[in-house]
Amino acid sequence: MKPAQIPTPLKTKPLLTVLGGETLTPPPIWLMRQAGRYLPEYRATRAKAPDFLSVCFNPDLASEITLQPIKRFGFDAAILFSDILVIPHALGRHVEFREGEGPALAPLESPRGLAALSEEESMVPLAPVFETIRRVKAALPADTTLIGFAGAPWTVATYMVEGGSSRDFSRVKSWALGDPDGFQVLIDRLVDATSAYLIRQIDAGAEVLQLFDSWAGVLPAPAFQRWCVAPVREIVLRLKKLRPLVPIIGFPRGAGLGYQGFASATGVDCLGLDSTVPLHWAAQALQPQATLQGNLDPIQLLAGGGNLKTEILRIVGALGRGPFIFNLGHGILPKTPIAHVEDLVTTVRSRS
Ligand code: 1CP
């Protein structure tokens, strides 16, 4: 755990330093989905609420959960505890999380299914999230950065149209590829709501934002440009115009060669790499344009063994000579042993 800190200027936060383009040895570290079911203290707090969305909208519980991995591991960043699906909820769609089954939404079939809500009206249900951010910000150690987030429009649309998780994305892809003008209405709505939501997260205290495009990898290249790159570019444009100093991390998971040019096309400051991205290519082709974040395979962290240390050192060796944030290539898995996370943090930090 980190020692208590005296307040320091913002620039001395390691995460903000590397997002500003500098190189740090050792690199800062945090993990996607770091607050969650692999932690016994999360399961205990989670049990105090009737369902998952009530946790997201309860600032007492959500701020406690956000801080849990910071207290246990001393990560360089806390990520707001919430979910990408609070946006469909705010837009008036039915969203629930069934125990052991994942999210269930009322499937959206056309833009006519979207309620006529003003921007202000759609932000009302999200007020508790902003309160969580204010509380976490006040409680964090001085060198720990607070990350806010949202789903990118394409990924949020997949859940809205499919009605939950999907195997083949056939409904949402049929809509996007078969009726692009109709689908654009949904994406534009998500761009508006997401931009408004993220501005409010910044004003409540979020210092960095991450846009999760978890299903960016299921589209043909031209559709990836239209439904992943263009909406993220529009959100980044709006945020940079209004709050230019807040760094943005893009995470177009599974984009493959689509990672090339993504930072310059969208304006994100940092690229979150999934675990399939080859490191030497990333160092040469991507790191000159953006800070990189990633990309240990979450199953390697779960599995542990001698290969865990080898893989950590391979990643730090390849990317640590430029601006870099150590992370996983996707969210931490619920069965991950806590000892493996402790070993990971020790290994990354002892390499200097
Ligand atoms: O009961 C429970 O505890 C539910 C499990 C859970 C948790 C802990 C869900 C349901 N969401 C979350 C929190 C969450 N989700 C965070 C919290 C902050 C942190 O990182 O610690 C974040 C950033 C998310 C983001 C999220 N939600 C994404 C993007 C990242 C990713 O993993 O790809 C996605 C796709 C979701 C949807 C979602 N919410 C929950 C589940 C189980 C899912 C995924 C369903 C699927 O696989 O399709």
Side-chain angles (χ1 to χ4, degrees):
M1 207 178 294
K2 289 182 193 173
Q5 299 287 320
I6 331 154
T8 43
L10 286 185
K11 266 205 87 176
T12 66
K13 296 192 180 204
L15 201 89
L16 293 178
T17 304
V18 299
L19 286 168
E22 288 176 47
T23 301
L24 284 183
T25 308
I29 175 171
W30 69 280
L31 304 181
M32 289 187 275
R33 308 290 285 263
Q34 65 190 15
R37 285 174 292 174
Y38 74 108
L39 288 177
E41 59 269 35
Y42 169 79
R43 296 192 297 268
T45 309
R46 167 79 180 74
K48 293 180 190 167
D51 58 81
F52 178 73
L53 265 190
S54 320
V55 185
C56 296
F57 293 135
N58 180 323
D60 285 336
L61 301 182
S63 58
E64 185 184 317
I65 291 172
T66 305
L67 292 164
Q68 284 170 347
I70 306 308
K71 291 185 179 139
R72 192 186 263 274
F73 304 113
F75 289 127
D76 293 285
I79 181 159
L80 162 71
F81 188 82
S82 180
D83 196 83
I84 64 168
L85 300 179
V86 300
I87 285 293
H89 169 84
L91 292 176
R93 304 298 299 167
H94 178 79
V95 180
E96 62 178 299
F97 289 83
R98 297 188 185 136
E99 228 48 64
E101 274 180 50
L105 294 82
L108 181 73
E109 284 168 2
S110 85
R112 289 187 301 280
L114 290 167
L117 292 171
S118 70
E119 180 179 301
E120 279 311 315
E121 285 167 333
S122 61
M123 292 300 120
V124 170
L126 302 171
V129 175
F130 310 131
E131 177 59 19
T132 299
I133 292 176
R134 282 188 284 271
R135 292 194 196 177
V136 172
K137 185 71 175 298
L140 275 182
D143 54 359
T144 311
T145 303
L146 177 54
I147 303 175
F149 75 93
W154 163 252
T155 287
V156 175
T158 69
Y159 289 94
M160 293 176 79
V161 176
E162 299 284 339
S165 307
S166 176
R167 220 171 249 282
D168 56 11
F169 300 91
S170 62
R171 287 185 192 213
V172 68
K173 285 175 68 176
S174 296
W175 187 359
L177 304 177
D179 169 27
D181 292 348
F183 191 67
Q184 187 75 54
V185 177
L186 169 58
I187 292 292
D188 288 347
R189 198 65 193 281
L190 288 169
V191 166
D192 290 344
T194 305
S195 305
Y197 178 47
L198 291 173
I199 290 286
R200 284 164 175 78
Q201 289 192 26
I202 294 171
D203 293 346
E207 299 165 288
V208 171
L209 300 171
Q210 176 154 328
L211 280 164
F212 285 90
D213 217 346
S214 305
W215 303 115
V218 306
L219 288 169
F224 169 77
Q225 292 298 323
R226 178 155 182 189
W227 305 123
C228 295
V229 175
V232 168
R233 174 176 48 225
E234 182 59 31
I235 293 171
V236 172
L237 262 173
R238 293 187 194 184
L239 294 175
K240 294 286 184 190
K241 193 169 164 208
L242 297 171
R243 305 289 183 273
L245 298 180
V246 176
I248 303 173
I249 305 170
F251 179 50
R253 188 171 76 95
L257 288 177
Y259 270 106
Q260 178 114 52
F262 187 87
S264 52
T266 59
V268 297
D269 305 273
C270 174
L271 289 171
L273 306 180
D274 67 65
S275 305
T276 68
V277 177
L279 298 180
H280 289 286
W281 176 74
Q284 279 169 19
L286 307 177
Q287 209 164 25
Q289 266 88 55
T291 296
L292 299 183
Q293 170 174 283
N295 70 345
L296 181 70
D297 193 317
I299 296 186
Q300 179 68 72
L301 183 62
L302 181 148
N307 219 28
L308 175 57
K309 192 165 181 187
T310 314
E311 275 298 289
I312 297 167
L313 297 180
R314 185 176 74 88
I315 293 168
V316 178
L319 301 179
R321 282 181 224 114
F324 174 58
I325 301 162
F326 197 97
N327 206 316
L328 300 173
H330 196 197
I332 188 167
L333 295 160
K335 293 207 167 87
T336 306
I338 283 169
H340 295 185
V341 181
E342 289 166 350
D343 288 349
L344 165 65
V345 174
T346 307
T347 305
V348 170
R349 292 211 168 129
S350 60
R351 193 202 160 276
S352 50

